[in-house]
């Protein structure tokens, strides 16, 4: 039963290809995939696409249905841009969390565990060897592992390039950013740096009120519509690529 053996996975700033599908526009379908693949589209990806549409709505809050500009105070627009960054990064966090958890549950069901997943179970879920050994031969062993992941993931963060790479590796997707970077026409380092930049901006907004605390005077960080757009486009591209890679795997 336990054959796996726990011997003690075009914009200027971010340079995402103009041809890359916009996830914000794909809540009702994913361009470039077959109808059979569309049927496999996960609930996590659908929720993510809807969340990203909300972020896009925020940066277009000054546009009427006919495209005319609405008179909205500049400060209010800036706060809408900040909110769109927070929502975008949070949407990616939620997507990766649910995607990885669903993938892990599937691997447990099929009893096909990558080495990184085995290591995480032993070192992070059950650091106490006695606790692990006490359940390893129980008939509901996999159910207990799944329950442990559900509890563990409640306190984990899936924001930032490092966490995304680590948890995707646990789920069986090795070196995910190198795969994604091939379609971004950009080096993995630059792609990850851009993700980190927008993630840090989200943290500054949430935890510092988007103020530069290094200054002696209260200084509010500048924000532009273009920055919010870049964040949405990058986040959408990353999630879209993870989704496409998972379909092909």
């Amino acid at each position: 039963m336990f054959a796996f053996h726990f011997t003690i996975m075009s914009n200027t700033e971010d340079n995402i290809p103009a041809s890359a599908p916009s996830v914000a526009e794909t809540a009702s379908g994913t361009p470039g995939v077959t109808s059979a693949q569309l049927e496999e589209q996960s609930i996590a990806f659908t929720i993510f696409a809807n969340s990203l549409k909300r972020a896009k709505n925020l940066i277009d809050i000054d546009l009427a249905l006919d495209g005319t500009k609405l008179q909205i105070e500049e400060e209010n627009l800036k706060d809408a841009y900040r909110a769109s960054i927070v929502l975008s990064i949070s949407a990616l966090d939620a997507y990766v969390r649910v995607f990885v958890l669903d993938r892990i549950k599937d691997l447990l069901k099929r009893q096909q565990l990558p080495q990184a997943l085995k290591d995480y179970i032993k070192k992070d879920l059950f650091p106490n060897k006695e606790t692990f050994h006490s359940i390893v031969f129980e008939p509901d062993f996999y159910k207990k592992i799944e329950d442990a992941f559900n509890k563990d993931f409640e306190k984990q963060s899936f924001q930032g390039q490092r966490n995304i790479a680590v948890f995707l590796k646990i789920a069986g997707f090795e070196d995910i950013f190198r795969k994604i970077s091939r379609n971004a026409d950009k080096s993995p380092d630059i792609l990850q740096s851009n993700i980190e930049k927008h993630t840090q901006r989200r943290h500054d907004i949430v935890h510092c009120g988007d103020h530069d605390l290094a200054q002696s005077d209260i200084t509010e960080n500048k924000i532009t519509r273009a920055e919010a757009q870049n964040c949405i486009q990058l986040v959408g591209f990353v999630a879209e690529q993870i989704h496409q890679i998972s379909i092909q795997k």
Side-chain angles (χ1 to χ4, degrees), residues 9 104 107-108 113-121 149 170:
M9 167 188 175
I104 286 173
L107 291 170
L108 290 171
L113 281 64
Q115 187 59 48
L117 178 53
K118 297 178 187 178
D119 292 342
Y120 191 88
I121 291 171
F149 267 111
I170 291 170

Side-chain angles (χ1 to χ4, degrees), residues 29-73:
T30 307
V33 297
T34 66
S35 58
Q37 289 171 327
L38 280 175
E39 292 176 359
E40 299 176 19
Q41 181 168 304
S42 68
I43 293 175
F45 185 77
T46 303
I47 293 173
F48 169 81
N50 288 335
S51 297
L52 215 61
K53 281 185 68 176
R54 293 172 184 159
K56 178 68 163 55
N57 289 340
L58 283 171
I59 64 171
D60 289 335
I61 200 169
D62 61 338
L63 293 178
L65 288 176
D66 61 1
T68 58
K69 281 278 189 178
L70 302 175
Q71 295 300 313
I72 298 179
E73 292 290 336

